[in-house]
Each structure stands twice: as C-alpha cells, then as structure tokens.
Amino acid sequence: MKLLRSFSILLALALCSTSLLTAQGDNFQMFVVHEDHVKDGMMDKHIEADKALLKAAKEHNMEGMEWLAFQADDNRVMYLTEIDNFAELDKNPFKDLQEKMGEEAFEKLFEPFAETFTKHGDYILNLDKEHSYMPEGMDQSMEGMNYRELVFYHIPPGKMDKAVEMAKAARKLYEDKDSKAYYRLYRSGFGTMDSYFMVAVSGKDAASVEKMRKENGELLGEEGEKLSSEIQKVFSKREVVTGHLKPEISYKAEN
C-alpha cells in the first residue's frame, strides 16, 4: 500500500470543481481511497507487507496519517484515509514516519508491494451523512461487524438530481418503518471515471446480511418494492462487492 507522494495535479483540478469544494461540511466527510489490485496468489504476501508497514508505524508512533483497510473478495484491498480538505492532498502523508525511521529504511518498507499488485491508484469518496441511514450514530467500524456488502449504483449523465431524490426517498422509508437495516451512502469523487453512489452495509457475515435483507424486505412491503422499481429505472448499473474490514492492517495513531 503506497499512497501517491504528490497530489498536485489532482489538487489543481479538484479546486476547479465547485461541487467538490462544497461537499465537505456537516453533511459530508471526505476520504482518500488508495486501492490495490492484488495478483492471484499474492494476497498473503501483500498482507505481510501491510503488517510490516503497520508495525513500523506503531513503533514510531507515526502521526499525520491513519487508514481503515478493507479486503474485497475480488482481490482488491482499499485503504480509506479521512481528510478535512483538498489542501491535505498536496502533503506527503508518510512524512512523519519517513523522518523518524530514515529514508532508506522507509523505502524498503514498500519494496515488497511492487511484486504483489497489478495496478493501484487513488481517488476521493465522500461519505454522505444526510442520505445515510445510521439512526444510532455514524460508525464505519462497528465492533464484531467486519463483513461488508458494498453496492455501487452507477448514475447516468444528467441523472444526479433524480439519484439524490431516490436516496432521500430510501432514507425516509427506512426511517418511517423503523428499519434495522442500517447503511452508509458514499458519493464518488474526484479520480473516479464514473459517477456512483456506494451503499455500505455491515454485518457479522454474509448470512447475517442476507437475513437482515429478507427481514427488511418484509418490513418495507409494497412500498419497498415500488421504490426498488423506481431505483432500477434511474441507475444505469448495479454492482455488488463483498469483503471484510481488516483491523489487523488498519492504523490509528495513539493519543
């Protein structure tokens, strides 16, 4: 996992986007996502390299950089880092660790990754708090619920307003019915080739999420079926990615 050292081009382009500039606020939280596409048969080595990096970060009490890791069942690994504004993209996120352990030792941490992935890159996701449904409070890493189902709803050009309308309708229906099927909605940001909403659902495992989905369908009834039909008409494509949060390769600085 190696975040790009310089986001200068990304920053310059992002600052030209009014919509992205206004996305950060009480209703949104911005994340930089680094995504590795790991080669078949190389996941163990990739995770081993992640653990070596994590060990160094903990030993040196690295500051200025934290990440939440997600391993998808399709051999992708994603690392989410919360940021407050676009200006943070122009900084070296590993500067503190690099200075503490020295350039040579720092560079060696990343050498094993070169053999483990076919491609990697960075992009922005925006957590949309207003259209998420988390009545007990926003939480990305609920204890004992590391299984994730990520549903990507791709938005055709010119359909963003209608997509937002569907998101509002879904949350209202879930609230009205007091649904127990909680979810977080993320909007694609700069660096993605497509516009989409990504809905993240947490559970203990695949069976628990499927059980929750069945019970929720019964709860929402005909209103849920009608809304589902309307949603299918708005979005051009629906994709599902499953996997697990990986606390063992995630990093949070000690206070």
Side-chain angles (χ1 to χ4, degrees), residues 18 49 124 170 184 254:
T18 303
I124 298 291
R184 294 164 303 286
E254 296 182 5

Side-chain angles (χ1 to χ4, degrees), residues 219-234:
L219 175 69
L220 301 185
E222 292 184 4
E223 292 175 81
E225 292 179 5
K226 180 180 178 181
L227 179 59
S228 178
S229 178
E230 293 176 358
I231 287 173
Q232 291 178 31
K233 295 175 183 177
V234 172

